[in-house]
Amino acid sequence: MVSKVLIANRGEIALRVIRACREMGIASVAVHSTADDNAMHVRLADESVCIGPPAATDSYLSIAAIISACEITGADAVHPGYGFLSENAKFADILAAHNITFIGPKAEHIRIMGDKIAAKARAIELGIPVVPGSDGEVKTAAEAAKIGADMGYPVLVKAASGGGGRGMKLAMTEADMETAFSTARHEAKTAFGDDAVYIEKYLTTPRHIEIQVVCDAHGNAVHLGERDCSLQRRHQKVLEEAPSSVLDEKSRAAIGKIVTDAMQGMNYLGVGTIEFLFENGEFYFIEMNTRLQVEHPITEMITGVDLVREQIRIASGERLSFTQDDIVLSGHAIECRINAENPETFVPSPGTITAYHAPAGLGVRMDSAVYAGYPIPPYYDSLIGKLIIYGDDRQSCIMRLKRALREFVIDGVDTTLPLFARLVEEEDFNTANYDIHWLENYLGMKD
Ligand code: MV4
């Protein structure tokens, strides 16, 4: 087993990893910028190293600074959390060259999945259903027009280096195609330095459903069911739930078998999430995330699996501590992302938290790294924490979420708590009657 893990991250996810390390008897090292001297992850880790100034590019994203921190502390493994260097194949390669274990997938798989065209081609080879579209890159407007005419509108032009909604352009009709194609290419070039684009049939009212997988170095692949992440605003997830209300056991088992076979087929290692759009009972692959995700706790709540512990075990060469038959989904879990943002405009609201009281009690988990008196720095994302609720079924989970929201006190900064208080009263939320556009429409309806 690895013996000392350096966490190349901050905030709640750094605490999540430190907690898993402590429970496994593994030493932990925090790294931090000068803006995070007083951060909880620095206090809770066994050791800490300052790796640079506030700007993430000079600290949490500095590969040289992180390798140095490993050398100084003798850390033999790095957990990247999510964001920052978590899906940086070069970082995984450099760690390997330094004989430091990357607690994540192989660099090769990070690289393939980072290129959405390559990812989709691989998905097809592996037997994963994808959205109908172009055969790889589309290089000219004429080719784009031909595909649009053959496939039928509407279509989406997507950047190969995009993902998470960046670099997408919708063409509703043939008349939109030329502009959609050229703007998508131009924006892709500007944003990612790569103008490769591809085309897909536009699914109008899907859900976003993602399957959690976990694979060891001994050829075992297990899926842990799905998360429904349809409630998003500008490609930022707001509330996620597991299981999805639109899947039954049969369709869950069927897609689960498809993805575990695929992961075995590519010798995938570690945790991963295969993202699908789900419409009219069919799954369509869009992307794969080769990291631990923000919303992983809801899967932990309904499966009882500690995903970070499994990541550390897998990276150490151990076998999965369970088989597919051991996995029984039970109950329902909901995660609310509590951000330091204006709940109407979503403008970030950095500042000092003057009072803080998190809800607790049966079925209530709060993954956060803030405390009363904590000054939220303006340099990083605005996540205060994740309120994770478990209940025997969706109805009792929502009732428990409502009572937890009433207990929550966060003073000093604006938060998205009022949004959740409204959301849990909505009929469409209570009946799980929503698609990927529902939340933005709901937010646009008011005033
Ligand atoms: C799509 C789509 C409809 N049809 N692809 C947005 C983020 C990126 N991961 C993929 N996205 C979409 N791809 C096809 N062929 C609609 C979206 C989309 C979306 C997807 C998931 C969750 C929220 C979304 C909001 C707007 C658009």
Side-chain angles (χ1 to χ4, degrees):
M1 194 72 75
V2 297
S3 64
K4 190 189 269 195
V5 174
L6 181 143
I7 300 106
N9 216 303
R10 62 185 302 283
E12 65 85 20
I13 197 62
L15 293 207
R16 174 70 190 83
V17 178
I18 293 166
R19 285 171 173 147
C21 288
R22 185 137 293 143
E23 290 176 14
M24 297 173 82
I26 295 170
S28 59
V29 179
V31 294
H32 66 95
S33 72
T34 53
D36 279 339
D37 287 333
N38 47 14
M40 276 293 280
H41 74 286
V42 175
R43 301 190 196 186
L44 283 192
D46 294 316
E47 292 174 70
S48 66
V49 182
C50 180
I51 53 165
T57 45
D58 301 320
S59 50
Y60 298 105
L61 286 168
S62 168
I63 296 178
I66 288 161
I67 299 286
S68 301
C70 290
E71 301 291 339
I72 291 165
T73 57
D76 60 351
V78 169
H79 194 301
Y82 52 70
F84 295 128
L85 295 169
S86 60
E87 291 177 292
N88 186 314
K90 194 177 109 193
F91 181 52
D93 279 334
I94 292 172
L95 285 172
H98 285 78
N99 277 314
I100 301 164
T101 301
F102 178 64
I103 302 174
K106 298 168 187 168
E108 167 200 353
H109 293 142
I110 299 175
R111 210 164 263 128
I112 292 176
M113 297 306 167
D115 175 344
K116 308 303 159 192
I117 291 177
K120 192 172 177 182
R122 200 69 198 276
I124 293 168
E125 281 169 18
L126 292 163
I128 300 175
V130 303
V131 189
S134 60
D135 178 13
E137 186 182 349
V138 178
K139 294 200 165 105
T140 64
E143 206 188 323
K146 170 94 170 67
I147 292 162
D150 290 351
M151 202 160 59
Y153 287 87
V155 304
L156 265 183
V157 186
K158 294 184 170 186
S161 300
R166 297 166 307 156
M168 286 191 341
K169 284 282 167 283
L170 180 61
M172 285 307 293
T173 67
E174 199 177 334
D176 301 335
M177 189 50 137
E178 203 167 314
T179 312
F181 180 75
S182 61
T183 19
R185 283 200 98 175
H186 183 260
E187 286 187 13
K189 184 77 192 172
T190 313
F192 318 112
D194 169 16
D195 66 359
V197 299
Y198 62 110
I199 293 177
E200 282 184 348
K201 181 88 191 162
Y202 179 65
L203 304 180
T204 54
T205 56
R207 285 190 175 232
H208 171 127
I209 295 182
E210 55 185 35
I211 313 290
Q212 178 72 58
V213 293
V214 52
C215 309
D216 67 20
H218 305 272
N220 301 299
V222 173
H223 76 88
L224 302 178
E226 77 285 358
R227 296 182 286 260
D228 192 322
C229 307
S230 301
L231 294 175
Q232 311 204 4
R233 179 188 174 271
R234 301 202 177 158
H235 305 298
Q236 295 296 315
K237 293 171 186 162
V238 171
L239 178 150
E240 307 95 351
E241 52 182 319
S244 171
S245 306
V246 295
L247 293 196
D248 55 22
E249 246 175 82
K250 213 176 134 209
S251 52
R252 179 175 301 116
I255 194 69
K257 168 110 172 68
I258 288 170
V259 298
T260 50
D261 285 353
M263 292 306 109
Q264 274 175 325
M266 66 189 272
N267 277 310
Y268 189 76
L269 184 71
V271 305
T273 302
I274 299 83
E275 292 188 350
F276 293 94
L277 296 177
F278 182 80
E279 193 173 68
N280 299 325
E282 304 284 344
F283 283 94
Y284 302 91
F285 170 90
I286 46 172
E287 289 168 27
M288 177 171 182
N289 300 317
T290 54
R291 61 168 189 279
L292 182 72
Q293 290 197 260
V294 175
E295 60 272 23
H296 76 275
I298 55 174
T299 297
E300 298 187 318
M301 302 313 282
I302 64 160
T303 59
V305 170
D306 178 336
L307 278 166
V308 178
R309 183 186 183 92
E310 289 309 312
Q311 283 190 291
I312 295 170
R313 289 172 48 87
I314 292 162
S316 303
E318 306 276 317
R319 287 171 180 280
L320 292 181
S321 58
F322 47 81
T323 66
Q324 190 67 63
D325 288 344
D326 295 328
I327 302 300
V328 180
L329 304 191
S330 85
H332 196 90
I334 293 177
E335 172 181 281
C336 298
R337 297 195 189 186
I338 316 296
N339 289 330
E341 286 172 358
N342 181 297
E344 312 269 322
T345 62
F346 298 90
V347 171
S349 171
T352 296
I353 294 177
T354 53
Y356 182 76
H357 177 86
L362 186 62
V364 178
R365 166 178 171 184
M366 185 65 196
D367 278 20
S368 175
V370 308
Y371 50 87
Y374 176 69
I376 300 170
Y379 308 102
Y380 314 109
D381 74 21
S382 58
L383 186 71
I384 290 175
K386 307 181 301 201
L387 175 59
I388 302 132
I389 306 291
Y390 178 82
D392 289 338
D393 53 35
R394 189 168 189 272
Q395 171 65 23
S396 45
C397 188
I398 292 173
M399 288 302 284
R400 186 169 278 161
L401 172 56
K402 288 187 194 184
R403 79 93 176 140
L405 288 168
R406 292 181 64 131
E407 292 175 22
F408 223 137
V409 178
I410 306 176
D411 289 343
V413 296
D414 283 346
T415 78
T416 49
L417 280 170
L419 165 64
F420 294 109
R422 283 201 294 139
L423 194 52
V424 294
E425 301 300 335
E426 280 302 312
E427 178 170 348
D428 283 343
F429 176 71
N430 278 279
T431 56
N433 177 32
Y434 57 75
D435 62 26
I436 60 171
H437 304 295
W438 187 89
L439 183 61
E440 287 186 0
N441 290 337
Y442 169 70
L443 293 169
M445 250 166 53
K446 65 185 176 62
D447 69 39

